[in-house]
Amino acid sequence: MKRHEARSKAMQVLFQLDNTELELTVDEAISHVLEESETDSFFESLVRGTINKKQEIDAALEEKLENWSLYRLPKIERTVLRLAVYELLFMDDTPNNVVLNEAIELCKTYGDEKSSKFVNGVLSKFVE
């Protein structure tokens, strides 16, 4: 699986898990997104790492958000931000500009033009 696809699928899993109406386990959410025999270590690292570091990621995001609370953000933007911040703070193998570009592309795919600009603005504060 290419990294772009892994990020997209990881975003879908994290989005499902952020939906409080669905009581899914991580493995159940992953099974909704991946084919039965499909697996990818980068994808697994993104999903499980983002979940495991969620409190640290949310605290870092709260510091960077101006006039916004994390829970007021639309779920797409919140999910993309968490995924990208995990990658920026805890994974060293991807250049920061690639992480930002991928996050912007995810927003364009799953959100709208405004969401990609907003996410770009927030994430740029992490790489200044």
Side-chain angles (χ1 to χ4, degrees):
M1 172 183 319
K2 294 188 178 195
R3 285 187 165 209
H4 177 75
E5 182 183 358
R7 286 182 184 95
S8 178
K9 289 186 176 199
M11 201 280 310
Q12 293 171 41
V13 169
L14 295 168
F15 184 84
Q16 285 183 61
L17 292 169
D18 196 35
N19 187 342
T20 54
E21 294 139 31
L22 299 173
E23 302 259 342
L24 294 175
T25 67
V26 175
D27 291 328
E28 287 171 333
I30 288 172
S31 73
H32 288 265
V33 173
L34 293 184
E35 300 294 322
E36 198 169 308
S37 62
E38 195 175 18
T39 184
D40 184 84
S41 61
F42 181 68
F43 164 81
E44 289 275 342
S45 295
L46 287 174
V47 170
R48 296 187 190 283
T50 303
I51 291 165
N52 292 336
K53 300 285 188 180
K54 186 177 172 194
Q55 287 183 320
E56 293 170 63
I57 293 166
D58 287 358
L61 280 167
E62 288 282 357
E63 284 181 24
K64 305 291 184 190
L65 291 171
E66 294 175 13
N67 304 318
W68 282 91
S69 123
L70 187 60
Y71 289 94
R72 278 189 52 218
L73 294 180
K75 286 183 185 175
I76 291 292
E77 285 89 334
R78 185 170 60 228
T79 304
V80 171
L81 283 169
R82 282 177 174 154
L83 182 64
V85 169
Y86 172 74
E87 208 170 345
L88 288 170
L89 297 181
F90 301 105
M91 296 182 83
D92 298 331
D93 59 336
T94 308
N96 290 346
N97 62 328
V98 172
V99 175
L100 266 66
N101 287 339
E102 287 287 328
I104 291 164
E105 290 304 315
L106 286 173
C107 282
K108 287 179 181 175
T109 301
Y110 296 103
D112 58 31
E113 190 63 35
K114 289 181 183 176
S115 63
S116 63
K117 290 177 182 177
F118 177 78
V119 165
N120 184 36
V122 174
L123 292 177
S124 64
K125 295 177 184 179
F126 283 91
V127 296
E128 289 176 336

